[in-house]
Amino acid sequence: QKPVLGRRQHYATRYGKSVRLITDAYPVSPNGQLLGAFNVMKDWGIVEELHNQVAVLQEQLGRAAPSATRYKSRTLTAPFRFEDAAYQDAVMCDIVAQCRRAAQFNGSLLLYGERGTEKSWIAQGIHNAGNTAAGPFVAVTCTSVASDAMRYLLLGEQGNGDTGQASHSGLIEQAKGGTLFLDEIDALDIGLQKQLFEAACNGEDQHTDRAATDFDRFRLIVGSSVPPARAAEEGSIFPGLLFCMGSIQIPPLRERKADVAALTERFITQYNREFTKNVSGLDSIALSCLLSYNWPGNVYELQHVIQHAICILPDEASQLTADYLPSHILTHTQQVDAAPRKTHSQTVISG
């Protein structure tokens, strides 16, 4: 009489093809009388194939890395280090100092801030600044994976000798000895969040219920655009996770304009190399435009603005000017310049 959701099925066709499905079954019971049921089936084989391809690519990247920096696990590395940071704002420098200190301990962390505020870069910096640097760094954005697929990706699956079903390690297994970073954690199913809590904070193995060894443990870092107090009130993050995690707030770019010039310089260097350009910097008018803009997309928006500007800049040009900035940034600058400035002589005090 109740729906049966997320049931996994595995069978072979008469031609020997292996088929893997996730099924949701719903009863049809008008007026309380069960007449039948209908089943919605999703082909899991495609997702599994992509997962296996990612694992192969990760292994190839691991083999290609220099032996001194090669990670023990078959995962993508974390390229960003705090030494590469382009921060000049005092608040952001203090946050980086906090992150460096937090990296010396393997406690779980919540990074919260608006989208585009470099939470993934900060997570990589923490990973590389602590004793997890020699281990894997596994990262995924929870909004990019369907909820029914996320359970499989996180927890993996044990093999079944009777059906010939192979074992697949999940992201938790792959992150052992290193760091697991889950961005947009509030989009993850609460039940999965609870299992994360048990694995990361209580040290429980998700398949055997045994206590995890030191190598089995991993650092859990989660990202959210929702402040912890609001997440607790809305119930979007499992309370146990909030209680066992330290939290660090990443301010939006509009509140740390001192970082705009430094970040711009870093992006110019990056895209000079990528596009084989030789841009020395940007002129004062272009910098003024960037500083007057409020950056609703934060650092990621700034990054793509510089990327696009350098991409369309003529090869012979050596300086980025305002002519190559997006029109909405120029329009905003013009509106700011045209706005009346309040002076003491314009202030009217009525009593």
Side-chain angles (χ1 to χ4, degrees):
Q1 296 287 335
K2 296 181 179 180
V4 179
L5 306 179
R7 184 174 182 180
R8 299 179 57 78
Q9 297 182 0
H10 175 238
Y11 64 92
T13 67
R14 59 181 294 188
Y15 301 106
K17 180 181 178 180
S18 178
V19 180
R20 300 171 68 86
L21 301 173
I22 294 179
T23 64
D24 295 334
Y26 300 88
V28 179
S29 51
N31 301 321
Q33 182 180 2
L34 182 63
L35 298 181
F38 68 93
N39 200 23
V40 179
M41 295 180 290
K42 303 173 187 177
D43 186 356
W44 177 252
I46 297 174
V47 177
E48 182 183 29
E49 182 180 350
L50 289 173
H51 183 265
N52 291 337
Q53 289 176 3
V54 168
V56 171
L57 289 173
Q58 289 174 339
E59 184 175 15
Q60 292 173 351
L61 283 170
R63 288 199 302 264
S67 58
T69 59
R70 188 178 301 160
Y71 287 153
K72 298 176 184 177
S73 181
R74 300 179 304 166
T75 66
L76 294 173
T77 60
F80 181 81
R81 299 173 184 274
F82 287 131
E83 291 80 2
D84 307 323
Y87 303 129
Q88 294 182 351
D89 184 87
V91 173
M92 199 62 194
C93 289
D94 182 60
I95 288 172
V96 170
Q98 290 181 41
C99 291
R100 284 182 179 274
R101 292 192 293 269
Q104 304 311 307
F105 306 93
N106 283 338
S108 300
L109 286 172
L110 166 66
L111 305 177
Y112 70 99
E114 295 178 6
R115 289 182 174 88
T117 49
E118 307 174 282
K119 292 188 288 292
S120 63
W121 295 355
I122 296 295
Q124 292 179 42
I126 293 171
H127 170 80
N128 286 322
N131 55 16
T132 55
F137 180 84
V138 182
V140 66
T141 301
C142 297
T143 53
S144 66
V145 183
S147 58
D148 51 0
M150 195 66 187
R151 181 178 299 276
Y152 174 80
L153 288 178
L154 273 180
L155 304 179
E157 189 175 43
Q158 289 187 301
N160 188 323
D162 295 334
T163 63
Q165 180 179 319
S167 296
H168 296 276
S169 62
L171 299 181
I172 291 178
E173 182 76 21
Q174 294 177 27
K176 287 180 177 179
T179 300
L180 174 62
F181 174 58
L182 298 177
D183 202 3
E184 305 297 341
I185 185 67
D186 45 294
L188 189 66
D189 175 76
I190 288 292
L192 275 178
Q193 290 187 34
K194 181 180 179 182
Q195 289 179 285
L196 266 177
F197 164 73
E198 293 167 348
C201 301
N202 286 350
E204 294 180 7
D205 187 286
Q206 292 301 294
H207 291 306
T208 64
D209 293 328
R210 63 174 173 81
T213 66
D214 287 341
F215 179 77
D216 286 339
R217 297 184 187 279
F218 61 94
R219 183 203 302 276
L220 176 64
I221 303 178
V222 301
S224 176
S225 55
V226 181
R230 199 175 103 200
E233 182 180 342
E234 296 175 348
S236 58
I237 298 181
F238 178 65
L241 274 179
L242 290 174
F243 300 154
C244 80
M245 295 182 126
S247 61
I248 296 176
Q249 181 178 7
I250 313 299
L253 187 56
R254 64 180 174 275
E255 294 180 6
R256 47 184 177 106
K257 291 291 186 71
D259 285 341
V260 170
L263 286 166
T264 298
E265 182 179 348
R266 188 179 83 189
F267 294 142
I268 288 176
T269 300
Q270 175 183 340
Y271 292 114
N272 269 340
R273 185 168 55 250
E274 185 171 328
F275 299 139
T276 321
K277 294 290 184 76
N278 190 28
V279 180
S280 60
L282 68 169
D283 65 13
S284 59
I285 297 177
L287 178 59
S288 177
C289 292
L290 297 182
L291 290 173
S292 66
Y293 186 59
N294 281 331
W295 300 107
N298 291 294
V299 177
Y300 287 167
E301 184 182 6
L302 173 62
Q303 179 179 1
H304 290 294
V305 164
I306 300 303
Q307 179 191 45
H308 176 71
I310 292 181
C311 183
I312 64 175
L313 197 67
D315 291 338
E316 64 275 10
S318 62
Q319 197 171 49
L320 197 159
T321 65
D323 299 328
Y324 300 98
L325 296 179
S327 58
H328 67 276
I329 293 181
L330 300 178
T331 300
H332 176 83
T333 303
Q334 292 167 359
Q335 291 173 346
V336 170
D337 291 341
R341 302 298 201 274
K342 181 181 288 188
T343 64
H344 291 296
S345 61
Q346 293 173 318
T347 303
V348 177
I349 302 176
S350 58

